Amino acid sequence: MKKILAVLTLVFACLWGTAFAADFSHLVIMHTNDTHGYDRRADGVNSMATVAALKKDYEAKGYDVLLVDAGDAIQDNNLVNFSKGKTAIDFMNAVGYDAMTLGNHEFDYGSDVTQARIKQAKFPIMSANIIVDATGKPLTPKTHTIVKKGGLKIGIFGLTTPSTVTTSNPKSTRGLTFLSKDAMYKAAQKEVDALKAQNCDLIVAIGHLGSEPDAAGDRSNDVLENVKGIDVFIDGHDHTVKNLYINGALLTETGAHLANIGAVLYENGKWTEDLHAYGCFNQEDAKVKVMVDKAQADIDKQLSTVVGKTTVELNGSRDPGVRTEETNLGDFIADAYLWQVRKASVLDKVTIDGAIMNGGSIRAGIAAGDITQNDMLRVLPYHNYLQYVTMKGSTLLEVLEAATCTTPKAIGAFPQVAGIAYTVDTTKPFEKGELYPHSTYYSPAKPGMRVTITSVGGKAFDPDATYNIAVPDYLTSGGDTYYPLTDPSKVTVHDVDYLDVDAVRNYLNEELGGSVGAAYAQPQGRIMVLQ
């Protein structure tokens, strides 16, 4: 009798499960990532109005639409910079997003603005691996949410790259711990288990993690290899297009700047990505378009002023470009920093020997022709203040060795320089020393193994000499690989109080007579990368 009951119970359970299996055939997971304020339609750029129109198009066809974003929405393009990201969240509210995770650039305006944007959003902005040190609690009010679409319960949670401590201004993340590697996997598994316990039909992770090799252990790939129960992982951060399966879960990403709009559908028993590239769906929602166009018109009035001109194109490309090699725009900006700090430091009666700026802070190039205020702020949107640091040559060598640790692979720390000449021998490996505090980067075990400094300030390099080097305050806050510039035993920091963009404008007009000319037609031979 017991055997019969057991068999009947098993059959009933199977029939029950079959009858009530989740039906995903009418669900679309739309997703964006790394929009960076490129919210208005332009050549190669879909708009937020197009996202809204595509969402309505799917709904008109009978689909239920889940719309999520994987971070870095509020910073970069001047369309959103002037409002410190408020306009970006306004647009997303109007489109009808369901959830978002924090990207590293959500911290660029300061932690108070991060919190203001979280409160402003009509959808949850979540991250499960950012902990407030003082309380031991998560930074975001929610670490996960459950969204009902049709008859489905969809569990969603967020993760943010631990590299935020160096890829955003470190001042904005002080007092926060970004759980990394095993601790992040544990936090993610806790979210999945909590959502499973609430009988969610589908588990979606939205992560601003990326898949770059230098972030091994903290990548979306690593999470999927160490966390069970995720069905779809919507990724961001590395600005690449991804569409692959890892441990039974779909990992997908759209690239960046709304070049693509993601749409994940359930077809033939598996989740499948259908990217909508620019040009394949051209409709725009009228209401959202009016909002975006008005915001752009207001910005254009402020930024249309011509501040100079250039007879040559100034290269601000990422890779190959400012994150991998010397470029003419890198030379121009570093020269401007050096010139401005030298002028500002005359009363200090000190010699400013050189300048360093990280290539990752150069966000765009400048075409030949008039240079407008808009161009300047597209190139330098972060509003960093200039300073100079006094340090030994040995510290300067450590700084350059660390900042080129992945070269020839792109790195935001890559030093564009003025008054300094150096060589990176990439045929030799970067040997890691100790992990820098509050960083995801390592000190070089052997400074000088890959990097050779030829000259500083027009003189042969001396590791025992003392140098004064102009830098943006992002570096003295420990941004990217530049932790040594926060160490008072190694450097003394002096304020100059010129904004980076003002220094470049001043240099252009006062030193160059308003025109960037043939001297900047090509990189000037300050950096040599041996491969």
Side-chain angles (χ1 to χ4, degrees):
M1 185 65 181
K2 289 182 178 180
K3 289 183 179 180
I4 294 173
L5 287 173
V7 170
L8 288 173
T9 300
L10 179 60
V11 171
F12 183 77
C14 291
L15 290 172
W16 180 276
T18 301
F20 290 93
D23 179 7
F24 300 120
S25 61
H26 291 88
L27 178 67
V28 177
I29 306 171
M30 285 183 57
H31 60 99
T32 55
N33 63 274
D34 297 275
T35 54
H36 285 288
Y38 284 79
D39 294 337
R40 189 169 186 257
R41 196 166 182 83
D43 187 24
V45 179
N46 286 297
S47 66
M48 274 293 157
T50 299
V51 176
L54 183 59
K55 178 174 181 283
K56 289 182 177 179
D57 185 69
Y58 273 119
E59 290 170 340
K61 294 174 179 176
Y63 286 97
D64 298 307
V65 179
L66 177 74
L67 177 57
V68 299
D69 183 86
D72 277 8
I74 72 170
Q75 175 281 334
D76 200 356
N77 194 302
N78 286 327
L79 176 60
V80 301
N81 284 347
F82 270 56
S83 67
K84 296 184 177 180
K86 181 180 182 300
T87 47
I89 300 299
D90 284 341
F91 302 153
M92 295 175 78
N93 282 338
V95 172
Y97 274 76
D98 292 298
M100 174 183 168
T101 195
L102 289 170
N104 53 304
H105 288 296
E106 262 70 60
F107 292 87
D108 281 348
Y109 306 112
S111 57
D112 56 335
V113 175
T114 305
Q115 291 291 354
R117 297 292 82 85
I118 291 172
K119 292 178 181 178
Q120 177 195 350
K122 295 179 180 178
F123 48 89
I125 299 179
M126 310 171 295
S127 186
N129 68 312
I130 308 176
I131 305 301
V132 179
D133 295 341
T135 64
K137 296 180 179 180
L139 172 70
T140 56
K142 288 186 174 183
T143 55
H144 67 249
T145 189
I146 296 176
V147 177
K148 294 183 179 180
K149 295 290 179 179
L152 300 172
K153 289 178 67 176
I154 305 169
I156 311 167
F157 71 97
L159 296 170
T160 303
T161 174
S163 71
T164 300
V165 296
T166 54
T167 55
S168 183
N169 195 314
K171 294 178 182 177
S172 301
T173 57
R174 286 175 185 161
L176 300 177
T177 292
F178 288 71
L179 300 179
S180 175
K181 298 181 174 63
D182 288 341
M184 179 167 63
Y185 312 152
K186 184 178 179 180
Q189 191 66 66
K190 180 180 178 182
E191 298 300 315
V192 173
D193 293 346
L195 292 167
K196 290 282 190 182
Q198 297 181 69
N199 299 314
C200 288
D201 300 297
L202 180 69
I203 305 297
V204 177
I206 44 175
H208 194 82
L209 298 180
S211 300
E212 292 296 316
D214 61 351
D218 289 331
R219 303 167 300 180
S220 51
N221 313 52
D222 302 311
V223 171
L224 288 174
E225 289 170 357
N226 289 277
V227 178
K228 297 179 180 179
I230 297 172
D231 296 300
V232 178
F233 195 117
I234 307 297
D235 201 15
H237 186 51
D238 55 356
H239 292 203
T240 61
V241 173
K242 290 198 286 267
N243 181 8
L244 68 156
Y245 265 83
I246 298 177
N247 281 347
L250 175 65
L251 173 61
T252 184
E253 182 179 347
T254 69
H257 298 170
L258 278 178
N260 300 294
I261 302 170
V264 176
L265 300 94
Y266 196 72
E267 297 177 343
N268 300 318
K270 63 185 295 187
W271 294 102
T272 304
E273 175 67 272
D274 181 20
L275 280 184
H276 288 67
Y278 171 79
C280 75
F281 183 87
N282 298 315
Q283 298 176 35
E284 291 189 276
D285 179 80
K287 178 182 176 182
V288 177
K289 186 178 187 301
V290 167
M291 289 180 62
V292 174
D293 287 348
K294 182 180 185 305
Q296 187 66 60
D298 292 342
I299 296 298
D300 288 345
K301 289 179 183 178
Q302 301 178 62
L303 298 181
S304 59
T305 304
V306 175
V307 297
K309 65 180 181 180
T310 176
T311 62
V312 298
E313 180 180 355
L314 297 171
N315 178 16
S317 299
R318 290 164 62 105
D319 177 15
V322 293
R323 297 179 181 226
T324 61
E325 61 191 6
E326 178 184 356
T327 76
N328 60 349
L329 181 55
D331 289 346
F332 170 60
I333 295 173
D335 283 347
Y337 288 6
L338 179 56
W339 174 87
Q340 185 69 80
V341 175
R342 279 177 171 169
K343 289 200 68 173
S345 303
V346 170
L347 295 179
D348 294 341
K349 297 182 179 180
V350 299
T351 299
I352 307 300
D353 301 290
I356 300 172
M357 72 96 58
N358 60 307
S361 287
I362 299 175
R363 306 302 290 187
I366 302 177
D370 288 341
I371 302 174
T372 64
Q373 181 72 352
N374 183 57
D375 293 324
M376 300 286 280
L377 291 174
R378 282 176 57 250
V379 173
L380 296 170
Y382 294 121
H383 296 90
N384 290 312
Y385 279 92
L386 297 187
Q387 298 174 316
Y388 71 89
V389 293
T390 302
M391 60 183 164
K392 291 287 188 182
S394 55
T395 301
L396 177 60
L397 183 60
E398 177 189 351
V399 165
L400 296 185
E401 186 90 25
T404 55
C405 62
T406 69
T407 307
K409 183 179 176 296
I411 183 170
F414 188 87
Q416 301 288 335
V417 297
I420 300 170
Y422 72 92
T423 298
V424 187
D425 186 352
T426 67
T427 66
K428 298 176 181 178
F430 176 80
E431 291 195 14
K432 294 179 179 179
E434 294 183 357
L435 183 69
Y436 283 132
H438 200 60
S439 177
T440 57
Y441 291 102
Y442 289 84
S443 65
K446 299 177 181 179
M449 181 174 179
R450 282 168 40 106
V451 170
T452 301
I453 302 176
T454 307
S455 63
V456 181
K459 299 178 181 179
F461 172 70
D462 180 354
D464 295 319
T466 298
Y467 297 109
N468 295 305
I469 306 296
V471 294
D473 64 356
Y474 173 67
L475 303 192
T476 59
S477 297
D480 285 335
T481 60
Y482 290 88
Y483 174 78
L485 300 189
T486 71
D487 187 347
S489 70
K490 292 183 175 182
V491 302
T492 302
V493 179
H494 312 266
D495 290 330
V496 176
D497 291 335
Y498 275 90
L499 276 173
D500 51 6
V501 70
D502 292 337
V504 174
R505 189 189 308 107
N506 293 342
Y507 175 68
L508 170 61
N509 287 290
E510 296 178 32
E511 184 67 13
L512 302 184
S515 179
V516 180
Y520 288 102
Q522 299 294 331
Q524 299 182 5
R526 303 167 187 183
I527 305 168
M528 183 178 295
V529 178
L530 303 179
Q531 299 187 51

